[in-house]
Amino acid sequence: MFLTISTTGSPERPATDLGFLLHKHPGKAQAFSTSHGTAHVFYPEAAAERCTAALLLEVDPVALVRRGQGKGRGGAPDAALAQYVNDRPYAASSLLAVALSGVFRSALGGKCAARPELPEQARPLRVEIPALPARGGPELVHRLFDPLGWDLVRAEPVPLDERFPEWGDSRYVRLVLEGELKLADALRQLYVLLPVLDDAKHYWIAPDEVDKLLRAGDGWLAAHPENGLISSRYLARHKRLTQDALERLELVRLAEADGSEVEELDNAVDENRDTEERPVPLAVHRRDAILAALRAAGAARVLDLGCGQGQLVQALLGDPAYTEIVGMDVSVRALNLAAKRLRLERMGERQSTRVRLLQGSLAYTDKRLAGYDAAVLSEVIEHLDPERLPALEYAVFGSARPRTVLVTTPNVEYNVRWESLPAGHARHGDHRFEWTRAEFRAWAGEVARRHGYAVEFVPVGDDDPEVGPPTQMAVFTTADHPDHSDHPKPSDHPDRTGHTPKEGEAA
Ligand code: SAH
C-alpha cells in the first residue's frame, strides 16, 4: 500500500517544509511498526522546488489475524483480509488510513511545534495513490473529492490485467489529487475517505468511531453533499451511529454558518425537510436513482428544475459526462445557498463554463430551458398547488421538451412506515399534496400521453411489499428531437385552470 504527497516551493518557501509539517526528516528513511505491519516513510525527492514524501505500508497478514481483526462479523476471515493475503498487497485501504493517522498524528492535528505558522498555510499539494480500492468506481471518487477544494481530481480505473483488456477494470483506481490545501485538511480527508471507498472496514465499530469521524471531518464533512453516504460507510452502515453522526454534523453545519446565514440555513433546512429526512439514506437513494437514470439516458446537458440548495447540481459537476448543468429554482435564497455550496465564485474557468444557476418558476414557460437532453424534478411537483400543475406540465413537457424527464415525489402510502410522522400528516408543511402510487401513475400517464412521451416507474428506497417505496420516480422519454415542434401548442393544450401560459413568459 503506497501513497505519496508532493509539494512545490521556492527558495523563500521551500518545498522541504513538508518535512516539518509531517514531522519526518526528509534526509532519512524511517520505519514504524503499526498494529498491521510496518509503515515506511521516505522522501524520493527533497529539494526547495519540489519535495515528495512517500508512505509505504507493508501489511503483515499474520499480525492481522493474531489481533483478531481480520475477521468479518461472523468470525470468518473477511474479503479484505483475503485480498491482502492473496491478491493485491499494495492496495491502499482502511489499513493505510490507520497507518496515516499513526505515523502523521501531529500533521493530521495541524500541529507543528518547530514552525507553528506552517500548518495554517495552504500550499500546492499533489497526492497520489496508485492502487486505491474504490467500491463505486471513479464516479464515487469524484463525488467524494470534487466538493473538497481540489483543482484536479483524477480517478483512473486500473485494468484487471493489462494483458487482457477485455477482462475489464478491477475495483481499483489510481487516484491523483492536486490543489492548494492545508496539509492537515488533505490528510484528514484521506483518513476518512480511504476506508469509505474501500467499504470493507477491518475492525469492529465502537461508539467512539463517531467522535473520530467528527474530529477528522472538522471543517469539511458537515457541508459535504455526500455526508450521509460517508458517515454510513465509515461507520460500517451501523444505523444508530450513522444517525447520531448526521445529527451532530447538522449542528456543526448550522454553527459554522454565521449570524444571518444561520437563519437562512435554518429556513432552507426546513424547506427541504422532506429531502433531508433523518436518517438521510433516502436522499442518497434518490440521488443515486436519478444519477443512474441520467446515465442510462446518456444525458450530457441536464436541467435540475427546483434545484434547491444544489446538491444534485454538485453531484453532476463531479462527473465529466455532464457538459452543461443548469439549476433552476424559484427561491433566490435557495439559489444563494446553492452558489455557496458549489463555490461558484471561486470555481475555475473550466468548471464554471459547465454550470449555471437560474432563477425562474416552473409555472411559466421559459425559453432558457429549451433544447436539453434531460430535466430532473426531484421532490418538486408536490410543492406546487395542484391547479398549477398543468402549467408546469406545459412548461416542461410542452415547451422545454427535453428527451428525458425524471420526476420524483413522495409515495403517501409509505407514510405509515415513518415512525415520527403522525397519522394522516404530510412529510413536510409545504407539501400541497402527496400522492399514492396509483395517483402518481395516473397523472404521469396522462402527461406522457398528452405530450408524446413514454413513461416508466422506478421505486426509490426500500420497496415495501405492502405500501411501496418511500419515493416514487417516473422516467419519461421521447424519441423526437427537442427542436421538433409537433407537440401540442399552448392553444390546443387542455389547461384545466384556464391559464394559458404565454410563450416566453418567464418569472
Ligand atoms: N430538488 C431538490 C429540492 C426539492 S425542495 C431536492 O431534491 O433536494 C423543492 C424545491 O422546489 C424548493 O427549492 C423550491 O424553492 C422549489 N420550487 C417550488 N416551487 C417552484 C416553482 N414554481 N418553480 C421552481 N422551483 C420551485
Side-chain angles (χ1 to χ4, degrees), residues 272-394:
N272 291 335
R273 173 77 45 79
D274 54 336
T275 66
E276 308 210 344
E277 201 87 59
R278 300 292 183 229
V280 153
L282 180 55
V284 175
H285 283 310
R286 192 151 46 220
R287 202 165 331 129
D288 288 349
I290 290 168
L291 291 172
L294 288 175
R295 214 173 305 122
R301 304 176 60 239
V302 177
L303 299 166
D304 182 10
L305 303 175
C307 64
Q309 295 177 52
Q311 289 95 331
L312 178 66
V313 171
Q314 181 162 41
L316 293 171
L317 260 179
D319 185 339
Y322 301 105
T323 56
E324 194 180 336
I325 305 149
V326 175
M328 186 183 96
D329 203 286
V330 74
S331 154
V332 174
R333 192 178 56 210
L335 289 171
N336 285 338
L337 290 165
K340 227 174 257 173
R341 169 187 298 275
L342 297 168
R343 301 204 179 100
L344 268 195
E345 231 112 81
R346 285 186 281 149
M347 196 176 265
E349 203 177 317
R350 197 175 52 85
Q351 286 286 76
S352 65
T353 55
R354 293 173 57 214
V355 62
R356 236 164 350 124
L357 296 178
L358 304 177
Q359 198 270 333
S361 169
L362 288 164
Y364 302 99
T365 61
D366 188 335
K367 286 204 171 115
R368 297 173 298 178
L369 306 184
Y372 285 82
D373 298 333
V376 178
L377 290 97
S378 164
E379 308 292 291
V380 173
I381 56 170
E382 66 276 9
H383 289 266
L384 274 82
D385 286 319
E387 303 81 58
R388 305 297 283 166
L389 279 184
L392 172 142
E393 174 188 333
Y394 181 73

Side-chain angles (χ1 to χ4, degrees), residues 5 18 21-22 107 119 121 125 181-188:
I5 304 171
L18 188 61
L21 281 164
L22 291 173
Q121 300 165 0
L125 293 179
L181 270 82
K182 290 182 201 166
L183 180 67
D185 289 345
L187 291 175
R188 284 202 295 255

Side-chain angles (χ1 to χ4, degrees), residues 448-480:
R449 191 186 55 75
R450 280 196 286 268
H451 298 278
Y453 282 72
V455 62
E456 278 176 44
F457 299 91
V458 179
V460 179
D462 138 57
D463 195 352
D464 187 284
E466 236 177 286
V467 298
T471 299
Q472 34 188 351
M473 177 162 84
V475 180
F476 298 84
T477 44
T478 183
D480 73 3

